[in-house]
């Protein structure tokens, strides 16, 4: 299993990568190996089996791999020159493999049993409970030194000249199945089945909402097309995602399967603890965010002040205690700050409710700042300054669980999703959910959410008013909480694991190891 996304982020696909790896360690018929690779950085590839190295040399090479996975190596100008030559050599090897079919991309071995702290802390600890530690540490790990993005670029370069993309050949000669969490920029040897864990087709159908649009749209489409052409199987995280995939490639229906995502066990029914909310919000509120101009820090960079300034710690503590006291009602949204998530529509609805119904209602937003965020952050600022809106990041699962439970409603207003964890997580915690009326939400949330038109502010306001302020609001909330607990149980590990086992059994592995590329 390729663990690249697990090294790149916290929630969403990175979280699902960790959860799926942990899940598959419990499958009795699978010998699981993790494949480590960075998106943009060249890494050392450990040691291969045909290397005859003294034990101390093997450990040194493995330690170098960890250093490069964590960050750049700094060895002076001589080291920089050496690294530049190595990058150029690998780039040409990738081109030769993709264009002429010469050579394979090798994967080295990492002696993870000697570097258990790195494996656990840097890859898995952000999403898995401590009891999973021994399971993931028993697995083997390999390293692909070539950057994932460079492999994409090689394929795109070929498509530019020869009309269709072809990618470097990965050495999977001793592997039965390679599972990739996104369209994979590589080919596998004939004895290996490729499985793409397909999350969404947003880069194709909604390219205006993604970051680095030109690259991500082209790389997603060409790698996906190549995977289809090469006979890959696709595990889609929702029927909505499968429908999008089949609208592009209707002839691969028999190679597709829907298996929903897994909910972390951190999220579970919780009793309300309103007295803890002010401390959580104070602790995880953004202080400020610097928008780098052109991706670099310079005189054009803009600073967004996303947290209020205080003269003393006591004043800060008193402010949050007053604004988020035990009787305070707040709406919650958990999502990256980016256009597709529809924050501005929710903010418009919040402004209407504040001005016409409830001037004391608060809005708490949890999520990292992604891309195309300037207009969104500008709209937040006045509400942040008056103490009505709070923007949080880095919130650990235990704190998020109580926010889900205490919120009067968790709102999921996105205009496009592949699964959308936040609503299901809120349901699992005993929360109330309102969501945009899009096919994937209807599928994942069922009758356990109230729905609104994500393009119509009046529709959002009406739905939220019904949940929070109508005469039968308490009855609605009780029904949603009860239905949500039942609906979210469908995404627990014990329900999802048998589906993966059945699917992988259909591929008839020959008894070798399965690498899951996430």
């Amino acid at each position: 299993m390729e663990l690249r996304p697990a090294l790149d982020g916290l929630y969403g696909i990175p979280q699902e990568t960790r959860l799926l790896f942990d899940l598959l360690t419990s499958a009795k018929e699978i010998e699981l190996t993790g494949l480590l690779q960075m998106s943009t950085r060249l890494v050392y590839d450990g040691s291969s089996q045909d290397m005859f190295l003294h034990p101390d040399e093997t450990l040194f090479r493995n330690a170098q791999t960890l250093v490069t996975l964590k960050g750049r190596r700094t060895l002076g100008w001589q080291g920089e020159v050496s690294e530049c030559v190595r990058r150029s050599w690998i780039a040409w090897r990738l081109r030769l493999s993709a264009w002429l079919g010469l050579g394979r991309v090798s994967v080295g071995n990492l002696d993870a049993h000697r570097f258990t702290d790195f494996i656990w802390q840097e890859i898995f600890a952000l999403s898995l409970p401590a009891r999973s530690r021994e399971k993931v540490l028993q697995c083997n790990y390999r390293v692909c030194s070539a950057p994932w993005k460079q492999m994409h670029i090689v394929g795109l370069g070929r498509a530019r000249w020869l009309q269709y993309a072809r990618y470097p050949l990965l050495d999977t000669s001793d592997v039965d199945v390679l599972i990739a969490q996104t369209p994979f920029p590589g080919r596998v040897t004939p004895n290996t089945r490729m499985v793409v864990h397909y999350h969404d087709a947003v880069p194709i159908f909604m390219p205006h909402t993604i970051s680095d649009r030109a690259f991500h749209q082209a790389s997603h489409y060409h790698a996906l097309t190549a995977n289809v052409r090469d006979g890959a199987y696709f595990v889609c995280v929702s029927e909505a995602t499968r429908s999008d995939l089949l609208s592009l490639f209707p002839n691969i229906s028999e190679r597709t399967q829907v298996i929903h995502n897994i909910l972390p066990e951190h999220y579970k029914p919780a009793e309300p603890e309103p007295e803890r909310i002010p401390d959580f919000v104070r602790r995880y509120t953004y202080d400020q965010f610097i928008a780098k101009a052109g991706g670099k820090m310079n005189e054009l960079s803009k600073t967004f002040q996303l947290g209020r300034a205080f003269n003393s710690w006591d004043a800060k503590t008193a402010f949050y205690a007053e604004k988020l006291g035990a009787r305070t009602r707040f709406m919650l949204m958990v999502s990256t700050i980016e256009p597709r998530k529809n924050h501005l529509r929710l903010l418009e609805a919040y402004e209407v409710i504040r001005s016409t119904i409830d001037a004391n209602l608060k809005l708490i937003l949890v999520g990292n700042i992604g891309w195309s965020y300037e207009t969104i952050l500008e709209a937040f600022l006045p509400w942040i300054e008056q103490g009505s809106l709070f923007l949080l990041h880095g919130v650990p699962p235990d704190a998020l669980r109580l926010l889900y439970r205490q919120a009067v409603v968790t709102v999921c207003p996105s205009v496009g999703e592949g699964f959308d964890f936040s609503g299901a997580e809120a349901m699992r915690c005993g929360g109330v959910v309102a969501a945009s009326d899009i096919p994937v939400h209807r599928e994942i949330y069922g009758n356990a959410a109230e729905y609104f038109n994500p393009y119509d502010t009046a529709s959002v306001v009406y739905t939220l008013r019904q949940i929070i302020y109508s005469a039968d609001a308490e009855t609605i909330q009780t029904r949603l909480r009860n239905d949500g607990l039942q609906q979210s149980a469908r995404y627990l590990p014990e329900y999802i694991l048998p589906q993966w086992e059945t699917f992988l059994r259909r591929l008839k592995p020959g008894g070798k190891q399965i690498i899951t590329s996430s």
Side-chain angles (χ1 to χ4, degrees):
M1 177 169 183
E2 177 207 12
L3 295 168
R4 176 189 54 81
L7 292 161
D8 282 348
L10 178 56
Y11 295 115
I13 294 178
Q15 173 179 271
E16 177 61 17
T17 297
R18 302 179 190 105
L19 295 172
L20 179 58
F21 192 92
D22 181 45
L23 185 79
L24 293 181
T25 61
S26 301
K28 297 179 180 179
E29 300 176 36
I30 296 175
E31 182 183 344
L32 186 64
T33 295
L35 178 62
L36 304 177
Q37 182 184 28
M38 296 304 295
S39 292
T40 60
R41 191 166 63 246
L42 183 70
V43 298
Y44 275 36
D45 57 0
S47 58
S48 62
Q49 293 179 348
D50 56 1
M51 283 184 175
F52 299 99
L53 299 175
H54 193 273
D56 69 300
E57 293 178 299
T58 300
L59 284 173
F60 176 70
R61 290 182 63 92
N62 277 245
Q64 283 186 311
T65 298
L66 268 58
V67 170
T68 52
L69 285 168
K70 186 65 176 173
R72 290 187 60 190
R73 296 171 66 242
T74 55
L75 298 173
W77 69 267
Q78 299 97 329
E80 293 294 333
V81 171
S82 175
E83 289 292 287
C84 183
V85 171
R86 188 163 177 266
R87 283 195 296 269
S88 297
W89 169 238
I90 287 180
W92 276 107
R93 286 185 63 186
L94 293 176
R95 292 189 186 99
L96 289 171
S97 180
W99 287 57
L100 303 177
L102 300 177
R104 299 178 179 182
V105 179
S106 62
V107 289
N109 296 311
L110 179 65
D111 185 4
H113 304 98
R114 305 300 294 269
F115 300 99
T116 56
D117 185 73
F118 178 90
I119 295 296
W120 176 249
Q121 299 279 32
E122 299 295 330
I123 302 175
F124 296 109
L126 291 173
S127 300
L128 302 185
R131 64 176 181 77
S132 293
R133 183 172 179 272
E134 291 305 317
K135 289 196 301 177
V136 300
L137 293 180
Q138 293 302 313
C139 296
N140 296 316
Y141 293 86
R142 293 186 179 181
V143 181
C144 177
S145 61
W148 172 85
K149 187 172 184 178
Q150 185 66 46
M151 293 173 66
H152 271 296
I153 290 172
V154 166
L156 293 175
R158 189 184 189 282
R160 191 175 299 117
W161 292 97
L162 299 176
Q163 297 186 351
Y164 71 90
R166 189 169 71 168
Y167 294 88
L169 178 65
L170 200 67
D171 186 359
T172 60
S173 54
D174 60 346
V175 171
D176 289 302
V177 179
L178 169 71
I179 305 176
Q181 287 271 12
T182 58
F184 191 68
R187 293 173 292 136
V188 295
T189 52
N191 62 292
T192 305
R193 299 282 181 91
M194 181 184 290
V195 175
V196 177
H197 194 196
Y198 197 56
H199 291 266
D200 61 66
V202 168
I204 295 176
F205 292 103
M206 303 182 74
H208 58 291
T209 68
I210 60 178
S211 64
D212 195 2
R213 297 177 184 88
F215 171 76
H216 283 131
Q217 186 272 339
S219 62
H220 185 104
Y221 171 76
H222 283 289
L224 179 63
T225 302
N227 294 162
V228 168
R229 185 174 60 246
D230 292 342
Y233 289 76
F234 295 84
V235 173
C236 301
V237 301
S238 63
E239 190 60 55
T241 294
R242 180 175 182 269
S243 178
D244 284 343
L245 178 63
L246 293 181
S247 71
L248 293 165
F249 305 102
N251 295 328
I252 67 167
S253 176
E254 293 186 357
R255 286 193 270 145
T256 63
Q257 170 89 27
V258 174
I259 303 178
H260 292 126
N261 282 336
I262 312 156
L263 286 184
E265 68 173 48
H266 299 293
Y267 302 114
K268 54 191 175 185
E271 290 299 318
E273 296 184 54
E275 69 280 359
R276 300 182 64 186
I277 301 302
D279 182 58
F280 289 153
V281 175
R282 173 180 56 78
R283 196 183 317 169
Y284 300 110
T285 293
Y286 268 102
D287 181 17
Q288 61 181 22
F289 176 79
I290 301 177
K292 299 177 182 179
K296 298 180 179 179
M297 193 79 71
N298 54 47
E299 64 276 5
L300 298 178
S301 299
K302 181 176 181 178
T303 299
F304 289 91
Q305 192 65 39
L306 302 177
R308 287 173 57 108
F310 297 92
N311 294 325
S312 68
W313 183 261
D314 289 342
K316 185 175 185 178
T317 301
F319 170 82
Y320 285 101
E322 175 195 351
K323 295 296 183 179
L324 295 163
R327 296 185 179 181
T328 302
R329 291 196 284 195
F330 65 88
M331 298 192 301
L332 177 68
M333 179 180 174
V334 179
S335 179
T336 302
I337 311 297
E338 49 110 336
R340 177 169 53 93
K341 303 301 184 176
N342 212 14
H343 288 82
L344 291 180
R345 185 72 60 195
L346 175 59
L347 187 62
E348 288 179 3
Y350 173 68
E351 292 172 351
V352 171
I353 293 173
R354 287 258 316 181
S355 63
T356 61
I357 305 174
D358 185 354
N360 294 316
L361 182 68
K362 302 296 188 291
L363 178 59
I364 297 178
L365 306 174
V366 179
N368 292 329
I369 295 173
W371 50 90
S372 302
Y373 49 73
E374 290 84 357
T375 301
I376 302 172
L377 294 184
E378 290 282 1
F380 291 167
L381 292 178
W383 296 100
I384 290 173
E385 181 59 30
Q386 74 175 48
S388 299
L389 185 152
F390 304 89
L391 182 57
L392 282 55
H393 70 124
V395 180
D398 287 345
L400 189 54
R401 179 176 70 246
L402 294 180
L403 288 172
Y404 278 137
R405 181 61 181 87
Q406 188 63 30
V408 67
V409 60
T410 293
V411 189
C412 308
S414 177
V415 296
E417 291 288 345
F419 181 85
D420 201 347
F421 278 99
S422 62
E425 290 171 351
M427 292 175 185
R428 196 77 220 127
C429 298
V432 172
V433 175
S436 54
D437 195 355
I438 56 177
V440 68
H441 281 164
R442 288 283 184 177
E443 174 188 350
I444 302 302
Y445 302 157
N447 294 324
E450 292 292 316
Y451 296 96
F452 53 78
N453 182 342
Y455 299 101
D456 183 0
T457 302
S459 175
V460 183
V461 171
Y462 175 81
T463 299
L464 295 177
R465 286 181 64 178
Q466 290 299 110
I467 293 174
I468 306 173
Y469 303 106
S470 66
D472 56 347
E474 187 174 341
T475 301
I476 293 174
Q477 292 175 23
T478 299
R479 175 182 62 80
L480 292 176
R481 292 187 201 280
N482 293 336
D483 290 351
L485 289 173
Q486 296 182 37
Q487 182 72 14
S488 60
R490 300 172 59 191
Y491 315 119
L492 295 177
E494 56 266 31
Y495 183 77
I496 301 298
L497 177 59
Q499 298 177 57
W500 271 101
E501 290 179 314
T502 299
F503 170 76
L504 292 172
R505 199 175 292 118
R506 281 175 45 206
L507 300 184
K508 298 180 180 179
K512 302 171 188 173
Q513 59 188 329
I514 289 180
I515 288 182
T516 309
S517 168
S518 317

